[in-house]
Amino acid sequence: MADILILGGGFGGVVAAERLAERLAPEHQITLVSRSDRFVFYPALVRVAFGDVEPDEVSFDLREAMLNRRVRFIRAEVVRVDLHHRLVRLTHGEVDGELSYDYLLIATGRRLATERVAGFFEHAHHLLSVNAALRFGEAVRRFQEGRAVIGYCPGARLSVPVFETAFALARYLDENGRRHRARLTVVVPEKARDALAGVGGEEFIARLQRAMEDRGVELLPEFSVQRIAEGQVWAGQNSKLSYDLLMLIPPFVGSSVGLHQGVEATDFDGFIRTDRLMRIRNVERAYAVGDCTSFPGPKMGHMAVRQAEVAAANICAEIEGREPTARYTHEIRLVIDAGSQDSIYLQQDLWEDKAPVIKQGRFWSWAKRVHEVYWRIEHR
């Protein structure tokens, strides 16, 4: 019998647990550890902020979902991972102590490094938790006139919510008769052609900019947010914007799971180094998936899902005495939901020099919401 321990209850952890439970015989023990007993469908948090859906509609009970799949669930926080001795230290939950394992999969996500931008915690909103989305929604309802600044900071690895928020805010203000009193500005640290972390190419950015211009949303490139004060956001000593409403995606760093064994398991920002089989480099029987990994480019849920499927297949192969062969392809698939015919779909292989697939139309807004409903229904 093998003990498989999964750390993290997001896309990567949930999918890995499900695939392992489907493929392994019942005598193997699968355990998922998460600091929360609820799974949140994070791509829907923009809609939560604007009151289109309730938090309960974009989340589900993680404990119940796992138990229905014969996966043991433990609510706790990970303090330390000892890759050499195959031990994980847990606290602040249902277990306060150590768990041993035969195989480990780390899916603990990223940490928001708000400390890298002075004043972020005190003055900026973000959309990367349910509570944060609700607080931003309250700020939107109080916003009567002035300038709304929406964007992402250097080191942020998720830009889709920025553009979706700009579209949603323009639509909200139109519906409430306040659009003429508001100026909407999207700030990005790169040049315009490299917005969205350089993916998609010039055609994709051109389509996105046209959709923004149609709604009177301005794009301000090369605005690298460094510090924030009340009513002002600074990109340098002499470059600043005044704001009445501010939403920014902060920098990402790897989650702190206590990987301090002397192995070269993480990069400079704490993201875990893996090979294409999703194995942690130079460590046996240990895998990592999702936002905690060191692959370049955006951090997105569908990437975590694909990585989890690869890792689960390879763990199964190891347990069954076979050579792991499943390999991950670093591909981006995203939809920027404009709530209209301007919604944009992008598919691009980030490791191959191939032209991206770009499509546009109302269908993609609908498809994104169908996927949200699928996740909720499938896991209840």
Side-chain angles (χ1 to χ4, degrees):
M1 184 191 84
D3 283 321
I4 305 108
L5 182 59
I6 300 169
L7 307 180
F11 284 104
V14 168
V15 170
E18 291 177 341
R19 298 298 177 267
L20 288 165
E22 291 166 359
R23 300 179 64 162
L24 290 175
E27 64 264 22
H28 300 294
Q29 176 68 64
I30 304 166
T31 301
L32 186 143
V33 176
S34 173
R35 67 172 59 186
S36 172
D37 54 11
R38 291 201 69 79
F39 173 92
V40 176
F41 189 82
Y42 285 98
L45 289 181
V46 174
R47 298 181 61 223
V48 170
F50 285 89
D52 297 324
V53 292
E54 294 297 322
D56 286 348
E57 297 180 80
V58 297
S59 63
F60 58 81
D61 187 298
L62 190 52
R63 181 187 304 277
E64 182 178 340
M66 290 299 98
L67 292 178
N68 288 341
R69 291 160 174 78
R70 68 174 184 83
V71 175
R72 181 174 63 157
F73 177 84
I74 296 175
R75 182 181 55 78
E77 291 189 19
V78 179
V79 177
R80 183 178 176 86
V81 178
D82 186 336
L83 295 173
H84 287 322
H85 297 95
R86 296 178 187 164
L87 293 171
V88 172
R89 172 77 183 182
L90 305 178
T91 190
H92 297 148
E94 298 165 348
V95 172
D96 194 345
E98 291 184 336
L99 288 182
S100 63
Y101 63 84
D102 297 309
Y103 294 88
L104 177 69
L105 188 145
I106 301 176
T108 47
R110 73 287 180 274
R111 183 177 70 82
L112 304 183
T114 56
E115 73 279 0
R116 292 190 174 184
V117 178
F120 192 105
F121 181 80
E122 294 85 355
H123 302 294
H125 291 280
H126 65 77
L127 281 169
L128 298 176
S129 73
V130 170
N131 287 337
L134 293 173
R135 286 193 295 269
F136 177 64
E138 292 172 359
V140 167
R141 288 185 285 277
R142 293 193 301 268
F143 178 63
Q144 298 294 320
E145 60 183 359
R147 187 178 212 167
V149 175
I150 303 159
Y152 54 93
C153 302
R157 304 286 290 271
L158 183 64
S159 50
V160 171
V162 168
F163 298 98
E164 291 193 337
T165 298
F167 289 128
L169 182 56
R171 188 166 58 250
Y172 174 85
L173 294 172
D174 276 334
E175 292 170 353
N176 288 273
R178 291 181 290 189
R179 184 67 185 88
H180 65 289
R181 292 187 284 168
R183 183 178 182 183
L184 275 56
T185 303
V186 170
V187 297
V188 300
E190 313 95 344
K191 294 181 179 180
R193 67 173 182 271
D194 297 324
L196 278 167
V199 301
E202 292 185 3
E203 179 189 351
F204 182 77
I205 298 302
R207 292 195 189 197
L208 180 59
Q209 283 189 277
R210 284 196 298 270
M212 293 169 64
E213 289 168 1
D214 288 345
R215 290 160 177 78
V217 178
E218 61 182 333
L219 177 65
L220 181 58
E222 298 183 86
F223 191 89
S224 183
V225 176
Q226 302 298 321
R227 62 187 177 94
I228 304 166
E230 185 174 357
Q232 292 184 329
V233 55
W234 296 76
Q237 192 65 29
N238 300 309
S239 180
K240 66 179 179 179
L241 288 175
S242 296
Y243 68 85
D244 300 281
L245 178 68
L246 180 65
M247 194 289 286
L248 297 170
I249 304 298
F252 287 5
V253 294
S255 61
S256 85
V257 292
L259 294 175
H260 302 301
Q261 294 72 241
V263 298
E264 295 180 359
T266 61
D267 66 12
F268 178 78
D269 283 323
F271 294 107
I272 300 172
R273 302 180 192 272
T274 72
D275 58 20
R276 292 186 63 173
L277 281 69
M278 304 313 304
R279 297 179 299 196
I280 298 177
R281 293 185 182 180
N282 303 317
V283 182
E284 294 183 349
R285 298 189 179 186
Y287 292 74
V289 303
D291 288 0
C292 67
T293 60
S294 64
F295 292 112
K299 301 288 187 182
M300 307 192 73
H302 77 90
M303 293 174 169
V305 168
R306 178 58 186 147
Q307 291 167 12
E309 290 171 339
V310 169
N314 288 329
I315 291 172
C316 289
E318 285 200 55
I319 290 173
E320 295 166 359
R322 296 180 286 108
E323 186 70 21
T325 58
R327 298 174 72 82
Y328 171 65
T329 297
H330 199 38
E331 178 185 74
I332 186 170
R333 296 181 189 175
L334 64 83
V335 172
I336 295 181
D337 183 2
S340 68
Q341 69 276 4
D342 288 324
S343 296
I344 308 173
Y345 167 80
L346 168 69
Q347 179 181 357
Q348 183 179 4
D349 191 322
L350 299 180
W351 284 341
E352 298 288 339
D353 187 19
K354 297 179 181 178
V357 175
I358 303 169
K359 299 181 180 180
Q360 195 165 9
R362 194 179 300 274
F363 168 82
W364 298 105
S365 175
W366 173 83
K368 188 166 189 174
R369 297 181 189 186
V370 167
H371 186 59
E372 169 192 320
V373 173
Y374 162 79
W375 260 87
R376 185 173 73 251
I377 294 176
E378 181 70 12
H379 294 86
R380 283 186 170 174

